[in-house]
Amino acid sequence: MNDPHAISDTSLLNGIQTIQWRCPSNIALVKYWGKVGHQIPANPSISITLNEAYTEMSLQYEQIDTAGFELDFYFEGAQNPKFSDKIEQYLNRHLDVLPFVNGMKLTIHSHNSFPHSAGIASSASSMGALALCLCSMEQEVTGALQEEGAFYQKASNLARLASGSASRSVYGGVTVWGQSAAIPGSNDEYAVPFPFEMHDKLKNMHDAVLIVSKAAKSTSSRAGHQLMDAHPYAVARYKQAHENLKNIATAMCEGDMKKFGEILENEALSLHGLMMTSQPSVVLFTPATWQIINQIRAIREQNGLDIYFTLDAGPNIHLLYPAAIKEEVETSIIPKLVVSCEGKTWIPDHLGSGPERLQ
Ligand code: PMV
């Protein structure tokens, strides 16, 4: 995170103003899967914010002579009507909390640091970046959100309304979203930074994203969340997520890597188990996903290294390991795992310090 107030000169309001943010993606340790009403999570989740997988977004705004707003949206330098429609719908739906966009022409340029085809979910970083740009705009246009806590709280809330997991990306380090008895201040409407001191072992966690498949996801997360509405295991799942969150938080404070890994892997497999047992059934694992999971477990059994996996709603594997064993993992373990990856691709990442406002 950095100072959200870098540019807030309201005297500049005549003419075109530009705001730029870089916002990283995140990977959930305890998964958000299932929602209640409009973007309220059915269970709390916890994630680490990444560093290398990010969206850079610029938002230009200019006063115009109309009651509503106008929007031009560019993704990777080209106009993108599909994304543009989505953002327009989002802004229209939430005008009650974004009244300052009325009477403005908005031009948004969005760029991801990771290839679109890499199978990394980009909604967390892109919707996080959009929310941060909108909060900076609100600050400049209305003078509100001057206090840092209020700024990030609103950014997280706005991000949530676009994509639940994006609510966690507006903070660096470890972030919790959703009410949990174990996390003071946790909230369904916005994420909060992990409020406890983490053990040193976890402070520089690395994440190697093993690209099993570069294909676009066959099921959207929106459809996936909906499958939980009638899922026979839903009640038990939400209880399990609360328990897992409480226990992983303790493991992270105590530096209990074995417990941390056990919960991490249980969460990933629970997510996919829920998808597989939903109606209709969704199978996103591929033979290569199983192959790599089995290899990780076998290697860990042999050499006792703290290497653990998690997955998003897709076939790709996030291999988490502490900084202390980075060298060994990257030179002698990852080369064995990437044999099963598409084009032997993997993307190195690590726990990051969060979004940054660019000048
Ligand atoms: O934020 P959404 O609606 O794309 O859902 C994200 C769901 C998972 O990535 C599978 C889990 C999570 O908590 O990030």
Side-chain angles (χ1 to χ4, degrees):
M1 272 190 300
N2 78 334
D3 177 11
H5 316 310
I7 308 168
S8 60
D9 185 350
T10 43
S11 68
L12 296 174
L13 269 181
N14 295 325
I16 302 176
Q17 305 303 322
T18 304
I19 291 159
Q20 271 184 284
W21 276 92
R22 175 185 296 156
C23 183
S25 189
N26 69 75
I27 176 75
L29 311 175
V30 171
K31 313 290 180 182
Y32 149 57
W33 200 241
K35 52 177 121 180
V36 189
H38 183 47
Q39 297 291 97
I40 294 296
N43 64 262
S45 57
I46 183 168
S47 60
I48 58 171
T49 299
L50 297 175
N51 199 66
E52 305 302 325
Y54 57 77
T55 295
E56 275 182 2
M57 186 175 280
S58 76
L59 165 67
Q60 288 184 336
Y61 62 94
E62 177 184 13
Q63 273 174 338
I64 47 169
D65 214 9
T66 53
F69 65 88
E70 286 176 16
L71 174 68
D72 270 340
F73 182 84
Y74 297 81
F75 178 61
E76 306 296 357
Q79 269 188 325
N80 189 311
K82 193 172 136 223
F83 290 169
S84 183
D85 286 353
K86 276 195 176 164
I87 292 180
E88 196 172 324
Q89 275 173 27
Y90 164 80
L91 295 173
N92 273 318
R93 180 164 189 176
H94 301 293
L95 277 177
D96 56 332
V97 284
L98 299 165
F100 53 89
V101 302
N102 280 321
M104 295 284 183
K105 176 174 166 58
L106 311 174
T107 307
I108 299 175
H109 286 263
S110 187
H111 153 73
N112 290 342
S113 64
F114 47 95
H116 195 54
S117 60
I120 295 183
S122 58
S123 67
S125 57
S126 57
M127 293 303 108
L130 177 65
L132 289 159
C133 285
L134 288 168
C135 284
S136 292
M137 178 177 170
E138 174 166 5
Q139 204 177 52
E140 291 178 12
V141 173
T142 71
L145 303 181
Q146 293 300 324
E147 199 262 314
E148 191 174 302
F151 180 93
Y152 284 104
Q153 185 170 309
K154 177 145 187 185
S156 178
N157 200 349
L158 286 179
R160 167 187 68 91
L161 294 169
S163 161
S165 56
S167 68
R168 300 184 307 242
S169 265
V170 307
Y171 300 104
V174 176
T175 308
V176 176
W177 170 46
Q179 210 280 323
S180 156
I183 308 291
S186 56
N187 202 286
D188 284 346
E189 290 183 1
Y190 51 86
V192 294
F194 189 61
F196 306 121
E197 177 71 13
M198 245 194 326
H199 195 279
D200 283 349
K201 281 188 208 166
L202 287 120
K203 279 186 181 154
N204 297 311
M205 188 62 79
H206 282 259
D207 176 10
V209 191
L210 306 170
I211 308 297
V212 168
S213 166
K214 297 180 183 180
K217 283 199 288 186
S218 58
T219 307
S220 68
S221 56
R222 176 192 294 254
H225 289 294
Q226 262 173 20
L227 291 174
M228 286 305 289
D229 292 347
H231 202 295
Y233 304 153
V235 173
R237 160 59 193 161
Y238 301 143
K239 186 163 176 275
Q240 174 201 36
H242 277 271
E243 282 294 301
N244 275 348
L245 179 43
K246 182 177 82 188
N247 293 333
I248 207 167
T250 306
M252 289 164 83
C253 294
E254 291 175 353
D256 184 343
M257 296 305 290
K258 192 162 170 285
K259 191 84 206 151
F260 170 82
E262 223 172 81
I263 298 170
L264 187 78
E265 298 188 354
N266 174 259
E267 275 292 314
L269 296 174
S270 296
L271 170 70
H272 282 263
L274 289 163
M275 288 190 278
M276 288 179 198
T277 51
S278 63
Q279 199 63 263
S281 166
V282 178
V283 180
L284 300 177
F285 267 44
T286 67
T289 311
W290 280 125
Q291 166 73 21
I292 295 174
I293 286 176
N294 288 334
Q295 273 178 293
I296 293 169
R297 288 182 158 174
I299 294 170
R300 190 168 66 220
E301 202 129 294
Q302 270 164 25
N303 60 22
L305 284 178
D306 286 318
I307 52 169
Y308 303 99
F309 68 83
T310 186
L311 293 103
D312 245 333
N316 299 329
I317 291 183
H318 290 248
L319 182 72
L320 300 194
Y321 47 97
I325 57 168
K326 176 177 186 294
E327 185 75 20
E328 187 171 358
V329 172
E330 293 181 5
T331 56
S332 64
I333 295 174
I334 292 177
K336 289 184 190 138
L337 304 179
V338 292
V339 173
S340 309
C341 289
E342 187 169 340
K344 298 204 166 107
T345 313
W346 72 282
I347 300 177
D349 213 325
H350 58 91
L351 195 146
S353 56
E356 201 182 325
R357 183 162 175 176
L358 308 171
Q359 301 297 334

